[in-house]
Amino acid sequence: MQIIPLSALQHYAFCPRQCALIHNEQAWAENYLTAQGKALHERVDSGEPETRKGVRFERTVHVSAEKLGISGVLDLVEVDTKTGRLKPVEYKRGKPKPDPMDEIQLCAQGLCLEEMTGQTVSEGALWYMQTRHRLPVVFSDDLRAQTLATIAAVRELLNSGQTPPPDYGKRCKACSLVEICQPELLGKRDRSVGYVAGLFGE
């Protein structure tokens, strides 16, 4: 079974085409958004483990779930020193998004911890640099189902080796691959092909 990086789940939930460009075509574009994100994660990952108020903070935690076929590196795992309960924390450059892409990535982290430790991981947290706000996330049955469906969809996409056509929308402005993807230009071209085919009954 192909091992899917946890980041691919967030990429797919944001845009299947972005996921394919990065993970099938190995395309990547560094811009100020990705540079900010990388700097944030380097700052977080460089910290040493420490314990405060009954919580141990483990940074840069490598995880994998062989049954699910996913793996990755977690920014932070908080460990309750009394109960041993685990809570993944993911650091994000921007602000909370209307779509559950970050929650899906975080839930997948929880599923990895569950498979590795055998204990239930019921919640995690997202910390956003732009708002300086920490958002608790409960790993509900619905979120777990969305996460498992996303894992299956990403596996199908990566196995196919195909890149979906562009779907131009608001999110494109926040995408680091917009120059490579050219969604506005290619999306119009795709629609014109369909229009011409319709004219001639092809």
Side-chain angles (χ1 to χ4, degrees):
M1 183 190 294
Q2 182 182 8
I3 300 299
I4 295 171
L6 290 171
S7 60
L9 304 180
Q10 198 265 357
H11 294 147
Y12 183 90
F14 176 75
C15 171
R17 180 172 168 82
Q18 185 202 62
C19 181
L21 286 170
I22 293 171
H23 300 281
N24 278 347
E25 298 189 19
Q26 308 301 309
W28 184 249
E30 189 77 78
N31 63 10
Y32 79 98
L33 297 174
T34 58
Q36 263 190 338
K38 191 158 75 174
L40 170 65
H41 283 89
E42 283 173 357
R43 202 159 63 239
V44 172
D45 296 345
S46 65
E48 294 295 315
E50 59 178 308
T51 303
R52 291 197 310 267
K53 296 180 180 178
V55 178
R56 190 170 78 251
F57 301 92
E58 297 284 350
R59 293 177 171 84
T60 318
V61 179
H62 292 258
V63 297
S64 65
E66 289 187 17
K67 290 177 185 173
L68 293 173
I70 55 177
S71 71
V73 181
L74 312 194
D75 291 335
L76 179 70
V77 177
E78 296 179 353
V79 186
D80 188 305
T81 55
K82 286 184 180 177
T83 64
R85 194 171 60 213
L86 305 173
K87 180 188 289 187
V89 180
E90 174 71 12
Y91 284 74
K92 294 293 181 185
R93 179 202 62 79
K95 58 185 179 181
K97 304 167 183 70
D99 299 319
M101 62 193 77
D102 294 340
E103 286 83 354
I104 286 170
Q105 182 185 10
L106 185 68
C107 184
Q109 296 179 2
L111 294 176
C112 284
L113 291 171
E114 287 184 343
E115 187 172 315
M116 290 175 70
T117 65
Q119 66 167 283
T120 299
V121 179
S122 58
E123 63 178 327
L126 294 163
W127 189 89
Y128 289 95
M129 184 172 119
Q130 197 169 323
T131 58
R132 315 289 294 183
H133 181 67
R134 179 175 168 132
L135 186 70
V137 177
V138 175
F139 300 150
S140 63
D141 290 344
D142 183 51
L143 180 56
R144 287 170 183 267
Q146 284 186 69
T147 303
L148 293 173
T150 303
I151 293 169
V154 171
R155 173 158 288 109
E156 186 177 338
L157 177 70
L158 300 188
N159 286 341
S160 76
Q162 301 297 309
T163 299
D167 179 21
Y168 186 66
K170 286 183 180 177
R171 68 179 183 276
C172 296
K173 292 178 181 176
C175 179
S176 61
L177 297 183
V178 68
E179 293 299 323
I180 295 170
C181 176
Q182 295 189 313
E184 199 169 8
L185 177 67
L186 293 176
K188 285 177 182 173
R189 187 183 300 165
D190 281 352
R191 284 193 293 275
S192 67
V193 168
Y195 176 72
V196 172
L199 279 178
F200 295 98
E202 294 175 2

